[in-house]
């Protein structure tokens, strides 16, 4: 029940990591759109669809790669459908 209440209330900014304006996030601002985030971050449903089409050997290689290479985190589908944009939950912070 608590999970349902939390999801219907929207994001809890305490759990949404801040975005530091450095490296690949250097151009991020409070006006950045969901589209600019999804250029690098993939939706969970897209990843699941890609994985479902992989043969066993390809899936094994994919899983090895995912455990070795740092990739942008996946975005839950509900986040992309939320009326708020990414930067409303993931606060933009300056460089360290």
């Amino acid at each position: 029940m608590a999970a349902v209440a939390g999801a219907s209330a929207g994001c809890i900014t305490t759990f949404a990591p801040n975005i530091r304006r450095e490296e690949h996030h250097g151009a991020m601002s409070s006006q950045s759109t969901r589209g600019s985030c999804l250029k690098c971050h993939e939706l969970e449903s897209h990843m699941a669809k890609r994985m479902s089409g992989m043969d066993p050997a390809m899936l094994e290689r994919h899983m090895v790669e995912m455990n070795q290479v740092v990739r942008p985190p996946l975005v839950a589908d509900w986040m992309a459908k939320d009326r708020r944009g990414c930067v409303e939950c993931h606060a933009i912070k300056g460089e360290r």
Side-chain angles (χ1 to χ4, degrees), residues 5-82:
S8 66
C11 67
I12 302 173
T13 55
T14 304
F15 297 117
N18 296 330
I19 298 170
R20 290 265 174 210
R21 285 185 24 160
E22 52 192 29
E23 298 175 12
H24 56 279
H25 286 139
M28 295 296 294
S29 74
S30 59
Q31 276 64 55
S32 293
T33 65
R34 179 176 290 115
S36 51
C37 296
L38 291 176
K39 287 179 184 173
C40 296
H41 295 271
E42 186 173 12
L43 290 173
E44 287 179 342
S45 61
H46 292 174
M47 174 67 80
K49 185 176 182 180
R50 284 193 310 112
M51 290 173 67
S52 70
M54 294 179 185
D55 63 51
M58 184 184 289
L59 182 58
E60 184 176 345
R61 285 191 305 274
H62 169 79
M63 295 309 294
V64 167
E65 182 180 329
M66 290 298 107
N67 289 319
Q68 293 176 344
V69 179
V70 175
R71 300 271 186 208
L74 294 174
V75 175
D77 288 8
W78 72 264
M79 292 177 188
K81 293 175 184 171
D82 195 280

